[in-house]
């Protein structure tokens, strides 16, 4: 999905905040694999988000999807000092906590009443003024019959999270979604796939627990898997076509003026080239994390899920793909660059040359190359 937050509130007492800079030398090599946590279990944080707090990174995402409907039972949280070693902090939320859903139907007839419920694409925002963390997720029945937005809150990032309720944003349905909070303001936004074949943006009310009642902008292009990021003062949405669990070419939108609302979304050149780029390296976007170096330079880290519906384990065997997302050296646009093994330091200051079709590293073609 799609939000980078520097979260300043204290962690739970059991986890002290580390007062040091997070590592940017560690080698990232998730491509098509699942790391194991410190207990030796596979990390399951699908459809998730990366959050930085103090000297730790936190990875939130759903548990392994299982048949008969490929649903997850809960939302996990992991922590890491280096994006390589992961500790399971616990279960943030379970579908068993949900009450009163669905209290009404936005359309049609509910053929297969829940439970179980479908919980997908979890994202967390920190509402500093109200001193709480808000967990958002796509809430639905197992057969995608009542697509809504579910919410839970906690006073700590690490939980526990308590069920608040669900909404149909702006009296409409909500499928794949993410959230975005505008730095330096109290403004936050919901971005989601709607059945009217568009990605819709809605501003959240002051408490961030509902939308204001009307769309404030939309792409007018059918898409899912949205991940929002900001670069050089403009907002972007990295997303994918509608092909279910099968991978497809990525889509990139850029705002032409203003913020998330009142802006036209321009379709930018496809942000990937080369072998397997037409399937986004067999993955689907879930989040773009902005890492800030000590000198203020920023690097975009793209996060995706490889659902592999036709591979070992099918959707239940999903793995991850994390790649650098580089701005174009000339003109608008970004490039998702394939790298089997890479580090944040290696791509510091790097850009993509669309004419030559290659990365321009800050200090030569293999600056900080990973062996």
């Amino acid at each position: 999905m799609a939000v980078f937050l520097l979260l300043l509130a204290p962690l739970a007492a059991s986890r002290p905040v580390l007062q040091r800079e997070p590592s940017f030398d560690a080698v990232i090599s998730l491509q098509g694999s699942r790391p194991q946590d410190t207990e030796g279990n596979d990390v399951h944080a699908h459809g998730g988000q990366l959050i930085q707090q103090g000297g730790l990174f936190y990875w939130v995402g759903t548990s392994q999807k299982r048949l008969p409907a490929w649903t997850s039972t809960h939302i996990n949280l992991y922590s890491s000092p280096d994006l390589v070693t992961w500790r399971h902090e616990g279960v943030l939320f379970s579908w068993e906590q949900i009450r009163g859903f669905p209290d009404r139907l936005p359309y049609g007839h509910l053929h297969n009443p829940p439970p179980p419920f479908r919980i997908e694409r979890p994202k967390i925002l920190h509402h500093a003024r109200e001193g709480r963390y808000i967990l958002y997720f796509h809430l639905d029945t197992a057969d995608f019959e009542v697509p809504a937005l579910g919410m839970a809150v906690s006073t700590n990032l690490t939980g526990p999270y308590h069920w608040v309720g669900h909404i149909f944003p702006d009296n409409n349905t909500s499928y794949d979604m993410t959230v975005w909070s505008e730095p330096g303001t109290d403004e936050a936004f919901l971005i989601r796939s709607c059945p009217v074949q568009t990605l819709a943006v809605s501003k959240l009310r002051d408490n961030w627990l509902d939308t204001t009642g009307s769309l404030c902008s939309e792409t007018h292009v059918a898409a899912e898997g949205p991940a929002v990021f900001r670069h050089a003062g403009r907002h972007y949405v990295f997303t994918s076509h509608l092909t279910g669990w099968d991978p497809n070419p990525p889509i990139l939108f850029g705002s032409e003026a203003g913020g998330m609302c009142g802006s036209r979304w321009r379709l930018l050149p496809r942000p990937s080239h080369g072998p397997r780029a037409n399937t986004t390296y067999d993955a689907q976007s879930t989040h773009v994390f902005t890492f800030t170096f000590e000198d203020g330079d920023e690097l975009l880290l793209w996060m995706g899920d490889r659902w592999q519906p036709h591979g070992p384990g099918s959707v239940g065997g999903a793995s991850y793909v994390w790649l650098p997302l580089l701005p174009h050296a000339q003109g608008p646009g970004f490039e998702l660059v394939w790298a089997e093994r890479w580090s944040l330091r290696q791509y510091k200051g790097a850009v993509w040359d669309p004419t030559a079709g290659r990365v321009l590293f800050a200090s030569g073609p293999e600056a900080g190359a990973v062996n």
Side-chain angles (χ1 to χ4, degrees), residues 127-152:
H127 199 308
R129 180 167 49 81
E130 298 198 2
R132 65 186 180 191
Y133 296 85
I134 307 174
L135 171 66
Y136 304 85
F137 51 90
H138 168 214
L139 171 62
D140 214 329
T141 62
D143 291 333
F144 297 97
E145 293 174 294
V146 189
L149 179 72
M151 293 168 290

Side-chain angles (χ1 to χ4, degrees), residues 270-286:
R270 197 180 82 179
S272 63
H273 297 81
R276 291 191 296 168
N278 65 332
T279 60
T280 320
Y281 305 107
D282 302 324
Q284 184 185 47
S285 52
T286 180

Side-chain angles (χ1 to χ4, degrees), residues 37 44 61 69 81 86-87 113 138 166 172 189 199 203-204 233 237 244 274 303 308 316 318 321 326-327:
D37 64 21
H44 285 288
W86 294 98
R87 166 179 164 168
H138 168 214
H166 71 283
N172 207 329
F189 304 88
L199 277 180
K203 186 176 181 180
L204 296 177
V237 182
M303 301 169 61
Q308 59 178 40
V321 176
L326 304 181

Side-chain angles (χ1 to χ4, degrees), residues 63 71-75 91-99 101 114-119 137 139-140 163:
S63 62
T71 56
S72 299
T73 59
H74 58 273
I75 296 171
V91 172
L92 294 186
F93 187 82
S94 168
W95 67 261
E96 294 176 334
Q97 296 175 244
I98 296 169
R99 298 289 183 271
F101 171 78
F117 300 110
R118 183 176 293 277
I119 51 177
F137 51 90
L139 171 62
D140 214 329
W163 170 247

Side-chain angles (χ1 to χ4, degrees), residues 21-91:
E21 291 296 322
S23 170
F24 47 82
D25 292 307
V27 177
I28 298 172
S29 56
L30 284 177
Q31 320 323 8
S33 66
R34 280 193 310 273
Q36 290 190 330
D37 64 21
T38 53
E39 300 296 321
N41 301 311
D42 284 356
V43 170
H44 285 288
H46 305 286
Q49 168 197 15
L50 198 61
I51 299 167
Q52 183 182 342
Q53 186 174 61
L56 290 176
F57 298 99
Y58 288 87
W59 186 4
V60 58
T62 60
S63 62
Q64 182 180 20
K65 292 185 180 295
R66 298 185 183 276
L67 289 172
W70 294 128
T71 56
S72 299
T73 59
H74 58 273
I75 296 171
N76 287 315
L77 183 71
Y78 299 86
S79 66
S80 172
D82 55 12
L83 299 178
V84 175
T85 304
W86 294 98
R87 166 179 164 168
H88 187 220
E89 294 287 343
V91 172

Side-chain angles (χ1 to χ4, degrees), residues 1-26:
M1 196 268 183
V3 184
F4 165 59
L5 299 174
L6 181 59
L7 303 176
L8 301 178
L11 294 175
S14 62
R15 167 65 78 182
V17 176
L18 301 182
Q19 299 300 325
R20 61 180 174 82
E21 291 296 322
S23 170
F24 47 82
D25 292 307

Side-chain angles (χ1 to χ4, degrees), residues 189-205:
F189 304 88
L190 169 69
I191 303 91
R192 81 279 190 189
S193 177
C194 283
V196 289
Q197 301 298 295
T198 189
L199 277 180
V201 179
S202 295
K203 186 176 181 180
L204 296 177
R205 295 184 184 276

